[in-house]
Amino acid sequence: PGAGVQDRVASWISDLTILHELTERLGRTRTLNDALHETLRAGADLVGARRGLISLAPADGLGPSRLAGLGLGRADLGQLETVPRGLEAPLPGAAGEPAEAVHGDIAHEDRIDPRHREVAARLGFAASYAVPLSAETPGALGAAVWLYDDPRQPDARQRHLLALYLRQAGQHIANRLELSRAHAAVAAVHEGLLPSRLPPAAGVRLAVRHRAGPRGGGDFYDALLLPDAALGLAVGGTTGAGPTALAAMGRLRAGLRAYAVMEGEDPVAVLSDLELLLRLTEPGRSATALFGYAEPALRRVTLASAGHPPPLVVGRDRVDFAETGLSAPLNMLACWEAPSVRVELVEGETVLLYSDGLLLRTGEPMDRAFARLRAAAEAASPATRADPEALVDHLLKTVLPDLERPGAAEHSEDVILLAAHFC
């Protein structure tokens, strides 16, 4: 009897160690997708399966709904989506454990739907084990299914360990879900505060690329038609991140548009008025801004900058930064003041305005980041330089090649590229 007790105690300790390691690994995931895939990997280890999927469908109806797979391609997941659901009642689990659906031998089960059997044969799995996912809030999250290559089913110990693990995993997924929703809401507000489209302007072709940081940075851009067939171009940003920075950015952009319509031909006056607005409405916040008054018929842009990186002029025969002069950001000194500069262009040249996030996300000192941007423009082919859409894509991929990879969103800086190509 003593040896039996020792064996049981050793087994419990082993099980607790396994669960501790798996939940620690789960706790290190930071995104919803990572949490879903880690849950699938851990569950596969616990029940001895090789493949699996999670169907996420929160009960509150707020989404997002998605499929995450382990060892399954996109086409495989698409086929599994065609398997009818709700045709067979799940079996009750042990006391305190979730209900489960066990198909130990799909090819020989009479009550299984023919479509289920067909997809199983096509994908090469012979058995499946499914359990629901849930958390205190929002309740039901969806279901997790693990697939076996041969007829089998998990034993009682495996099911019990999986149930214990899923109690933690369900809540962690719910937390990542809430964070994902918050990020999506901030991104939607951010996009709503920016232009819904670029205006058509005679003599100029416009293109823009915008990648927001995960916390909702305060960067903005604008392009608006002005009297006398002129065009206003602007890029800027407020300090901080999150909802307050977005609100400040919205007020700043709205103010800039109003001042541009009233006195856009004098960019210094526009930024001076903008600083007064910032000083009155956001006394503890600074901002950078670059405003350009473009005259397409004359191929000329008059620029004023408040602590913002200078525009880059890209043409067939030159790639140069426009010297806007050194200036402090708005609301940093007793009174902002800086001269404007006039940039003369020829047919086929492009003026590129960008956020400082384009430089900061390189992780390099600013002088090297500027050199990287210029080298990327110089490497563009003549056809790319003549097409503003192709040019902004080329610069984004060349300067920040890892921008779209997983984890790149951890950088808080927004990235904006606004190109005005003079025909």
Side-chain angles (χ1 to χ4, degrees):
V5 170
Q6 289 178 356
D7 288 344
R8 286 197 297 273
V9 170
S11 177
W12 293 338
I13 292 174
S14 174
D15 290 346
L16 290 173
T17 301
I18 292 171
L19 288 173
H20 177 71
E21 292 175 352
L22 293 178
T23 52
E24 270 202 335
R25 205 165 66 187
L26 176 68
R28 288 194 289 269
T29 60
R30 291 292 176 263
T31 67
L32 178 59
N33 280 338
D34 288 346
L36 294 175
H37 285 97
E38 179 56 36
T39 299
L40 281 172
R41 283 191 292 267
D45 291 341
L46 290 173
V47 300
R50 188 173 64 88
R51 292 178 288 176
L53 71 148
I54 287 179
S55 175
L56 186 69
D60 58 11
L62 301 178
S65 297
R66 65 181 62 173
L67 280 179
L70 173 68
L72 297 167
R74 185 173 299 177
D76 300 335
L77 292 174
Q79 292 189 58
L80 287 167
E81 278 191 298
T82 68
V83 174
R85 296 193 179 106
L87 296 178
E88 299 145 290
L91 301 175
E97 295 182 3
E100 54 188 12
V102 183
H103 299 295
D105 190 352
I106 293 173
H108 298 94
E109 290 188 19
D110 295 333
R111 296 181 60 232
I112 202 164
D113 185 90
R115 180 59 183 167
H116 192 166
R117 188 179 291 111
E118 176 188 343
V119 171
R122 186 175 299 167
L123 298 186
F125 65 90
S128 64
Y129 178 66
V131 291
L133 285 174
S134 62
E136 290 185 8
T137 303
L141 293 169
V145 186
W146 285 273
L147 309 174
Y148 296 96
D149 295 339
D150 50 7
R152 59 174 298 188
Q153 56 182 282
D155 59 31
R157 172 180 169 271
Q158 290 174 321
R159 296 181 190 182
H160 179 64
L161 286 177
L162 179 65
L164 293 175
Y165 174 77
L166 290 182
R167 291 179 192 174
Q168 302 296 322
Q171 191 57 54
H172 184 75
I173 289 172
N175 294 340
R176 297 301 102 187
L177 174 66
E178 188 65 26
L179 188 60
S180 174
R181 288 173 173 176
H183 285 167
V186 169
V189 171
H190 198 169
E191 291 301 322
L193 293 172
L194 295 175
S196 57
R197 63 181 182 86
L198 296 174
V204 176
R205 293 164 57 200
L206 300 174
V208 68
R209 296 294 182 271
H210 175 224
R211 300 291 185 271
R215 294 181 295 160
D219 287 6
F220 68 91
Y221 67 89
D222 213 339
L224 66 158
L225 299 176
L226 299 176
D228 301 324
L231 180 69
L233 302 170
V235 171
T238 65
T239 54
T244 57
L246 288 180
M249 179 268 280
R251 290 189 289 269
L252 200 67
R253 176 175 171 252
L256 185 144
R257 289 176 69 88
Y259 302 140
V261 170
M262 292 187 295
E263 48 194 4
E265 69 279 359
D266 185 356
V268 172
V270 171
L271 293 189
S272 296
D273 291 343
L274 196 64
E275 191 205 26
L276 179 59
L277 174 68
L278 189 68
R279 190 177 299 277
L280 293 175
T281 60
E282 300 283 342
R285 191 185 301 273
S286 62
T288 67
L290 176 70
F291 178 73
Y293 180 77
E295 300 169 274
L298 301 177
R299 296 197 185 97
R300 183 169 65 195
V301 181
T302 305
L303 296 158
S305 172
H308 204 81
L312 183 66
V313 179
V314 180
R316 289 186 295 267
D317 303 317
R318 68 164 170 166
V319 176
D320 293 315
F321 288 104
E323 295 298 333
T324 55
L326 297 176
S327 61
L330 303 175
N331 215 10
M332 287 289 288
L333 300 178
C335 182
W336 175 84
E337 186 176 350
S340 63
V341 296
R342 180 171 291 176
V343 178
E344 303 289 345
L345 304 164
V346 300
E347 181 181 354
E349 290 190 326
T350 300
V351 176
L352 183 78
L353 282 66
Y354 51 93
S355 66
D356 55 3
L358 178 69
L359 306 175
L360 294 173
R361 282 212 191 190
T362 64
E364 298 178 334
M366 292 302 285
D367 57 341
R368 294 182 62 182
F370 277 117
R372 178 189 286 233
L373 175 59
R374 180 170 184 166
E378 290 173 339
S381 66
T384 299
R385 297 188 191 194
D387 182 354
E389 295 284 350
L391 181 61
V392 291
D393 283 337
H394 166 78
L395 294 176
L396 203 59
K397 293 176 182 177
T398 306
V399 177
L400 299 175
D402 298 330
L403 183 62
E404 306 296 342
R405 68 172 176 79
E410 294 175 1
H411 295 275
S412 60
E413 297 85 6
D414 293 355
V415 174
I416 293 173
L417 284 163
L418 176 61
H421 179 79
F422 287 78
C423 305

